[in-house]
């Protein structure tokens, strides 16, 4: 049994932000931090005070996290980015909102002196004495303190206040991971109610000292316990007045916390087997459960439920059968061919999820080069005469206004070129399309043709395929390439218009150039020759795509199963040490990296001979302090070589998102490794000591805890069968009352409980069996041992090494 926490985050938009640039505007972006650790950076939206992002993320976290904060900044090319404001949501706040936080939140001012982070290790004791007892406070160490100095570190010391007396530790220079091991004693006065206050400060020679955080200890609890030791979370000074408000603008967010207790696999087997049996029998069986699940699922939950079911069946090798059952169910209730798969049904939502999970790499291969070309060319493209902007053209000082006709003709040429290139790439991609997608489209094509066999519906099977492939997969990716990981940044206004027009053209081709689609926007007429040609190309492509036999499908899947497909690949910079000594001078060399389920490899080019780090040898993947190399976005992969000796590879990424994506990928594929580290050093061993904590023992215990459970969810994540089963169970439990009512209707039973507990008779109908399974799972959850009690706001559990 394991408790897993995750945050679903959607950063929608901002409004009424203050102008930070001299042109009266701003270039805003968001940074998301969990317990002061940056994990997400949105794209920058240029020259606006009301930016729209629409970016969605799912973050997996340890249950002990405390808060998530959203910082809005203004990007500056020549100076430090300006901080506009922030929104902070605590774990307790999110836990009290079952449907999550949705709405607008005012940005509050960010005071650098109040931005604290990190933890301090204390040992507190009440010591017997004559004539009075004494309070002994040992300040041992701290970790992950806020860097307050320009060198990327701090010079921390600690002040201990009690009963009017103050004592201080020594100053540890240039460290965010200081060790003091100093002890102070105070006389205890009987009945005194004053708290013990421990404050961390950054020492400065010239300016005033910077506040790093504090811990306030309840003395009544300490009297009762007599002794307490552990890591305490540093808190801001709440006595300072909170400034800021509506003048800084607002941020629209959707944030939902989900805590799941995942039981052992055996507990979910009855549920999984029951659902799989329903899918295997298809329409030949009772056919109750899947339609009832769709009927009882609200519209706003349908996408989530569809994704969970799809992943569950994908893990059981039944995704194609599940989708085929949904196709048949929808075809059975559809009378008009032109409304087929146009609603947000369970079939449509499941197919959308299926294409993203199984086909994202295929999408990148087909669309990637075309999208890159559109971004690189940055041409002005417009086909709507009412929106044409006349530009100056010419050279060598000879300029003349470009006519509207010339703009329209050049735009049509550009779009025809992009559309032709896209269709050509698509037609060449039949063999590149994953076998499971081809087989699923084969089933769809066959079912639709059987439902609408007459000649007047000749195009309907093709439109059924394109309604998913073009309208729900390719077109959204063209319009929003960042949301499909095709680009790192959002398109500017000019490029966005080009992408929108290209997506419209793809939709017209996907609709088989019907008169209805042509009539909507007559100004798209210049593209008609290419669209008509594209329809013929697309029909030929679909004919070849669905022409896959069972044997070929199995052969392709078997071939893929023998390969280790890349989990992530790309260009990174690896650290190389010059000379025989330790890190005296360093550089980063650009190499191509590829991570599979077997190894992390790197070479000069993808085709060059690679150096391998076996996956089983990885012990941790963590961030590196910026001061270590005077470079940001550096991570370290700690592993053992063939002789069992510890080694570290330092890799530099180009941005915070790439850094967190690589860390997530490495952590997820090595999560089951034996010998994973509980601590590590965020610095480097330079000279004779670690740069982070100044320890001289190179192989000693690390000064910070590892964060192996902090990961970002990606489309190509390994399937977690137990988690998906738990999520399906959670949904069904939420609609259990509706399911019981449905069961009473179907069985004609008027009793209050359709599945009497303890009757000894197992139900024989699928819905009755499902209700019995839900009851058994609920009892299993109730019988599972409770997790550790939630930690107090100021206290963390002791580190387990």
């Amino acid at each position: 049994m394991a408790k897993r926490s995750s945050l679903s985050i959607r950063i929608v938009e901002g409004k009424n932000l203050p102008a930070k640039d001299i042109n009266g505007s701003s270039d805003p972006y968001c940074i998301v931090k969990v317990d002061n650790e940056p994990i997400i950076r949105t794209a920058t939206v240029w020259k606006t005070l009301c930016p729209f992002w629409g970016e969605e993320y799912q973050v997996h976290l340890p249950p002990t996290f405390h808060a998530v904060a959203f910082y809005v900044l203004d990007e500056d090319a020549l100076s430090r980015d300006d901080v506009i404001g922030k929104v902070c949501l605590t774990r307790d706040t999110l836990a009290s909102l079952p449907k999550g936080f949705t709405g607008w939140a005012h940005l509050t001012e960010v005071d650098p002196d109040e931005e604290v982070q990190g933890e301090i290790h204390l040992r507190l004791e009440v010591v017997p004495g004559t004539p009075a007892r004494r309070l002994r406070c040992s300040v041992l160490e701290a970790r992950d303190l806020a860097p307050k100095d320009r060198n990327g570190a701090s010079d921390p010391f600690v002040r201990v206040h009690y009963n009017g007396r103050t004592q201080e530790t020594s100053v540890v220079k240039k460290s965010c991971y200081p060790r003091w091991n100093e002890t102070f004693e105070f006389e205890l006065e009987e009945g005194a109610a004053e708290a013990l206050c421990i404050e961390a400060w950054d020492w400065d020679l010239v300016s005033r000292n910077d506040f790093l955080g504090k811990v306030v200890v309840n003395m009544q609890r300490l009297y009762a316990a007599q002794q307490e030791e552990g890591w305490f979370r540093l808190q801001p000074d709440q006595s300072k007045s909170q400034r800021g408000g509506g003048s800084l603008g607002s941020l629209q967010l959707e944030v939902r916390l989900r805590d799941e207790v995942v039981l052992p696999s055996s507990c979910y087997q009855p549920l999984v087997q029951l659902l799989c049996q329903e899918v295997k029998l298809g329409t030949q069986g009772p056919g109750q459960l899947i339609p009832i699940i769709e009927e009882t699922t609200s519209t706003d939950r349908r996408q989530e439920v569809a994704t969970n079911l799809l992943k569950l069946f994908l893990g059981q090798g039944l995704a194609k059968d599940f989708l085929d059952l949904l196709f048949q169910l929808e075809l059975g209730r559809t009378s008009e061919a032109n409304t087929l798969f146009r609603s947000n049904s369970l079939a449509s939502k499941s197919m959308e999820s299926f294409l993203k999970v199984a086909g994202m790499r295929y999408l990148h291969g087909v669309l990637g080069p075309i999208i890159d070309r559109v971004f690189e060319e940055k041409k002005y493209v417009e086909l709507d005469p009412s929106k044409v902007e006349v530009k100056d053209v010419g050279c060598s000082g000879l300029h003349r206004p470009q006519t509207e006709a010339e703009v329209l003709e050049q735009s049509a040429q550009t779009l025809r070129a992009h559309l032709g290139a896209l269709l050509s790439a698509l037609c060449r991609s039949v063999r590149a399309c994953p076998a499971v997608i081809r087989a699923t489209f084969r089933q769809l094509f066959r079912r639709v043709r059987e439902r609408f066999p007459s000649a007047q519906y000749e195009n309907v099977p093709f439109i059924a395929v394109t309604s998913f492939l073009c309208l729900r997969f390719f077109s959204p990716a063209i319009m929003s390439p960042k949301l499909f990981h095709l680009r790192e940044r959002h398109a500017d206004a000019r490029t966005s218009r080009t992408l929108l027009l290209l997506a419209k053209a793809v939709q017209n081709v996907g609709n088989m150039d019907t008169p209805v689609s042509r009539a909507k926007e007559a100004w798209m007429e210049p593209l008609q020759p290419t669209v008509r040609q594209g329809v013929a190309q697309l029909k030929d492509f679909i004919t070849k795509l669905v022409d896959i036999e069972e044997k070929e499908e199995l052969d392709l899947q078997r071939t893929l199963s023998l390969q280790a497909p890349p989990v992530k690949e790309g260009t990174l910079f690896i650290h190389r040490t010059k000379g025989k000594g330790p890190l005296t001078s360093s550089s980063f060399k650009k190499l191509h990296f590829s991570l599979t389920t077997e190894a992390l490899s790197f070479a000069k080019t993808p085709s060059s001979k690679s150096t391998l780090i076996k996956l089983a040898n990885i012990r941790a993947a963590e961030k590196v302090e910026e001061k270590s190399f005077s470079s940001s976005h550096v991570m370290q992969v700690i592993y053992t070589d063939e002789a069992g000796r510890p080694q570290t590879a330092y890799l530099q990424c180009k941005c915070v998102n790439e850094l967190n994506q690589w860390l997530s990928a490495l952590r997820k594929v090595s999560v089951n490794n034996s010998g994973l580290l509980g601590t590590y050093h965020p610095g480097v061993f330079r000279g004779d000591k670690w740069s982070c904590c100044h320890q001289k023992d190179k192989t000693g215990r690390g000064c910070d805890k590892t964060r192996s459970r902090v990961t970002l969810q990606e489309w190509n994540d390994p399937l977690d069968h137990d988690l998906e089963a738990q999520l399906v169970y959670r949904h069904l439990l939420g609609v259990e009352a509706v399911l019981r009512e449905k069961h009473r209707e179907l069985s004609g039973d008027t009793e209050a409980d359709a599945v009497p507990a303890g009757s000894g008779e197992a139900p024989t109908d699928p819905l009755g069996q499902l209700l019995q399974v839900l009851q058994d799972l609920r009892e299993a959850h109730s019988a599972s041992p409770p997790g550790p009690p939630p930690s107090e706001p100021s206290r963390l559990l002791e580190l387990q090494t």
Side-chain angles (χ1 to χ4, degrees):
M1 186 189 73
K3 185 174 182 180
R4 309 185 192 183
S5 296
S6 64
L7 278 176
S8 297
I9 296 172
R10 185 166 189 255
I11 305 169
V12 187
E13 59 182 323
K15 69 178 179 182
N16 302 328
L17 302 183
K20 291 291 185 178
D21 299 335
I22 58 174
N23 61 5
S25 188
S26 290
D27 305 313
Y29 66 93
C30 286
I31 291 284
V32 183
K33 295 183 179 181
V34 174
D35 291 345
N36 297 102
E37 184 79 9
I39 56 171
I40 296 167
R41 184 201 193 276
T42 69
T44 300
V45 183
W46 304 101
K47 299 179 182 178
T48 181
L49 301 180
C50 297
F52 178 82
W53 290 287
E55 299 188 19
E56 298 182 19
Y57 302 91
Q58 182 119 354
V59 188
H60 300 288
L61 299 161
T64 53
F65 87 95
H66 292 81
V68 55
F70 302 82
Y71 292 77
V72 181
L73 296 91
D74 166 58
E75 183 169 335
D76 288 318
L78 302 178
S79 61
R80 183 187 294 268
D81 294 350
D82 300 312
V83 180
I84 295 175
K86 76 171 184 177
V87 172
C88 186
L89 298 171
T90 65
R91 191 192 197 288
D92 292 340
T93 299
L94 293 171
S96 66
L97 301 169
K99 294 186 177 181
F101 173 84
T102 301
W104 290 93
H106 289 299
L107 293 169
T108 58
E109 186 175 347
V110 177
D111 184 348
D113 292 334
E114 297 177 17
E115 292 292 297
V116 304
Q117 66 183 63
E119 302 138 30
I120 187 168
H121 189 185
L122 304 172
R123 184 189 303 120
L124 307 171
E125 300 173 85
V126 176
V127 183
T130 304
R133 293 182 297 175
R134 300 182 65 81
L135 168 63
R136 181 177 296 162
C137 175
S138 298
V139 181
L140 304 177
E141 58 187 321
R143 62 189 179 197
D144 196 27
L145 298 179
K148 294 291 185 179
D149 300 334
R150 290 187 176 183
N151 60 14
S154 288
D155 304 317
F157 69 96
V158 172
R159 287 177 182 159
V160 184
H161 305 275
Y162 179 70
N163 201 21
R165 288 188 58 201
T166 299
Q167 300 189 59
E168 294 184 356
T169 68
S170 58
V171 176
V172 178
K173 293 292 187 70
K174 299 179 181 179
S175 176
C176 292
Y177 299 84
R179 292 193 170 188
W180 293 285
N181 291 317
E182 298 184 29
T183 300
F184 307 99
E185 290 195 357
F186 301 87
E187 288 188 4
L188 280 175
E189 294 185 9
E190 295 298 332
E194 183 176 349
L196 173 67
C197 183
I198 299 103
E199 296 177 346
W201 293 83
D202 167 51
W203 178 84
D204 285 317
L205 177 63
V206 179
S207 60
R208 67 181 180 88
N209 297 334
D210 298 309
F211 180 69
L212 293 174
K214 70 177 183 179
V215 172
V216 178
V217 179
N218 185 312
M219 291 303 298
Q220 298 301 321
R221 281 189 52 197
L222 186 58
Y223 286 145
Q226 293 294 300
Q227 181 175 347
E228 190 169 357
E229 179 180 350
W231 288 95
F232 293 77
R233 183 174 178 78
L234 291 169
Q235 301 291 330
D237 188 352
Q238 300 294 342
S239 63
K240 293 188 177 182
S241 60
Q242 295 293 320
R243 294 168 292 170
S247 62
L248 296 177
S250 303
L251 194 60
Q252 187 181 8
L253 300 168
E254 296 175 11
V255 186
R256 184 183 180 192
L257 170 66
R258 169 167 279 162
D259 288 322
E260 296 292 347
V261 176
V262 181
L263 301 171
S265 299
S266 58
C267 296
Y268 298 108
Q269 280 307 303
L271 175 63
V272 173
Q273 290 172 0
L274 184 61
L275 293 174
C276 289
Q277 183 70 14
E278 174 88 358
V279 166
K280 289 175 182 176
L281 292 174
T283 56
Q284 303 302 315
Q288 286 187 346
L289 296 187
I290 300 301
I292 290 174
I293 290 174
E294 178 172 19
E295 181 184 335
T296 56
T297 302
S298 59
T299 305
D300 60 325
R301 295 290 310 279
R302 196 162 288 163
Q303 182 67 74
E304 180 184 350
V305 173
T307 302
N308 294 335
L309 284 170
L310 185 279
K311 288 185 175 180
L312 185 145
F313 289 118
L314 198 61
Q316 301 297 320
L318 292 172
K320 182 185 68 175
D321 305 86
F322 168 60
L323 293 167
D324 185 37
L325 175 58
L326 293 179
F327 297 153
Q328 295 180 71
L329 293 173
E330 179 139 343
L331 284 164
R333 59 176 179 257
T334 302
S335 56
E336 295 291 333
N338 58 359
T339 63
L340 189 59
F341 301 118
R342 297 293 175 168
S343 65
N344 290 322
S345 62
L346 189 63
S348 298
K349 292 299 184 182
S350 297
M351 195 64 182
E352 282 183 33
S353 297
F354 172 65
L355 289 173
K356 288 179 181 178
V357 172
M360 195 66 83
R361 191 177 300 279
Y362 169 66
L363 175 91
H364 280 225
V366 175
L367 277 188
I370 287 89
I371 297 297
D372 289 343
R373 194 176 310 139
V374 172
F375 272 79
E376 290 162 4
E377 289 181 356
K378 295 182 179 292
K379 289 183 178 179
Y380 175 69
V381 174
E382 184 54 72
L383 291 181
D384 187 350
S386 66
K387 297 182 179 180
V388 169
E389 297 177 10
V390 177
K391 300 289 183 181
D392 287 348
V393 296
C395 58
S396 304
L398 182 62
H399 294 266
R400 65 172 179 80
Q402 192 177 33
T403 66
E404 180 181 298
E406 289 175 330
V407 172
L408 294 173
E409 177 55 33
Q410 289 182 7
S411 298
Q413 289 179 3
T414 301
L415 286 171
R416 283 195 290 264
H418 289 322
L419 181 59
L422 193 157
L423 291 168
S424 297
L426 188 62
C427 291
R428 294 192 302 268
S429 70
V430 172
R431 299 291 297 176
C433 185
V436 66
I437 292 181
R438 293 183 63 187
T440 302
F441 277 135
R442 177 195 65 207
Q443 291 298 101
L444 173 62
F445 192 89
R446 181 181 300 166
R447 298 297 185 191
V448 175
R449 189 166 55 186
E450 291 171 355
R451 175 65 180 80
F452 297 100
S454 61
Q456 63 175 332
Y457 298 122
E458 178 189 357
N459 283 338
V460 174
F462 294 97
I463 293 176
V465 174
T466 60
S467 67
F468 293 117
L469 189 64
C470 295
L471 276 61
R472 293 178 181 264
F473 195 39
F474 278 82
S475 287
I478 293 170
M479 287 190 287
S480 303
K482 185 182 187 301
L483 303 186
F484 285 74
H485 306 292
L486 286 162
R487 299 289 297 187
E488 292 180 7
R489 292 177 174 266
H490 287 301
D492 57 24
R494 174 177 289 190
T495 305
S496 291
R497 183 61 180 170
T498 304
L499 294 172
L500 176 62
L501 293 172
L502 179 59
K504 286 178 178 290
V506 171
Q507 289 173 358
N508 285 347
V509 175
N511 287 325
M512 297 290 141
D513 191 28
T514 59
V516 175
S517 63
R518 286 200 303 270
K520 286 182 180 178
E521 292 157 335
W523 41 264
M524 294 283 288
E525 181 64 30
L527 299 184
Q528 280 309 116
T530 309
V531 170
R532 282 192 292 269
Q533 182 181 351
V535 170
Q537 289 177 281
L538 195 59
K539 290 178 73 172
D540 181 64
F541 163 74
I542 292 172
T543 302
K544 295 176 181 177
L545 187 75
V546 302
D547 184 21
I548 177 173
E549 299 300 328
E550 296 285 350
K551 182 179 182 304
E552 184 182 0
E553 177 191 352
L554 292 173
D555 289 343
L556 288 171
Q557 289 178 345
R558 193 176 299 111
T559 301
L560 288 174
S561 66
L562 295 175
Q563 303 171 354
V567 174
K568 188 168 182 62
E569 56 185 342
T571 301
L572 297 174
F573 296 83
I574 189 168
H575 172 265
R576 294 298 194 195
T577 304
K578 296 179 179 179
K580 296 182 180 179
L583 300 174
T584 53
S585 62
S586 60
S587 63
F588 284 90
K589 184 177 181 181
K590 185 177 180 180
L591 294 174
H592 179 84
F593 281 76
S594 178
L595 175 66
T596 69
T597 53
E598 296 176 356
L600 174 67
S601 61
F602 47 94
K604 288 184 177 179
T605 64
S607 57
S608 304
K609 186 177 180 181
S610 299
T611 302
L612 294 177
I613 298 175
K614 289 184 178 179
L615 199 65
N617 293 345
I618 293 178
R619 298 292 173 258
E622 299 293 335
K623 294 180 181 179
V624 176
E625 278 189 303
E626 186 172 335
K627 71 169 188 174
S628 300
F629 295 103
S630 298
S631 300
S632 55
H633 316 314
V634 178
M635 66 177 175
Q636 55 181 307
V637 180
I638 305 170
Y639 64 101
T640 54
D641 59 19
E642 295 304 317
R645 295 169 299 199
Q647 304 289 344
T648 304
Y650 296 99
L651 312 176
Q652 185 176 29
C653 306
K654 57 191 173 190
C655 64
V656 66
N657 282 352
E658 186 178 62
L659 172 65
N660 284 308
Q661 287 164 6
W662 272 100
L663 284 172
S664 292
L666 285 161
R667 289 167 178 171
K668 281 181 281 196
V669 296
S670 60
V671 67
N672 295 319
N673 283 7
S674 60
L676 288 177
L677 299 179
T679 64
Y680 80 109
H681 288 285
V684 294
F685 197 82
R686 181 175 285 116
D688 62 345
K689 63 183 179 182
W690 287 99
S691 63
C692 44
C693 59
H694 306 328
Q695 289 186 67
K696 294 184 180 296
D697 183 358
K698 187 176 182 179
T699 59
R701 174 177 170 268
C703 58
D704 198 5
K705 58 184 177 181
T706 55
R707 295 167 175 83
S708 60
R709 295 182 66 181
V710 180
T711 59
L712 294 172
Q713 183 167 304
E714 298 284 349
W715 52 266
N716 60 345
D717 278 353
L719 294 172
D720 189 332
H721 309 301
D722 296 341
L723 178 60
E724 299 306 332
Q726 167 64 23
L727 294 176
V728 171
Y729 159 71
R730 166 73 75 92
H731 168 70
L732 294 174
L733 193 64
V735 296
E736 184 181 17
V738 182
L739 294 175
R740 288 190 179 278
E741 180 63 32
K742 189 72 176 177
H743 186 253
R744 284 194 291 271
E745 291 177 10
L746 293 174
S747 62
D749 191 348
T750 58
E751 295 296 323
D753 193 350
V755 185
S759 64
E761 296 181 7
T764 56
D765 62 295
L767 185 51
Q769 291 173 344
L770 178 62
L771 290 169
Q772 183 64 56
V773 166
L774 295 182
Q775 183 173 309
D776 294 342
L777 275 171
R778 184 167 55 246
E779 293 173 357
H781 273 280
S782 300
S784 61
S791 58
E792 294 184 30
S794 64
R795 178 71 189 272
L796 293 178
L797 298 176
E798 276 194 76
L799 182 66
Q800 299 297 315
T801 58

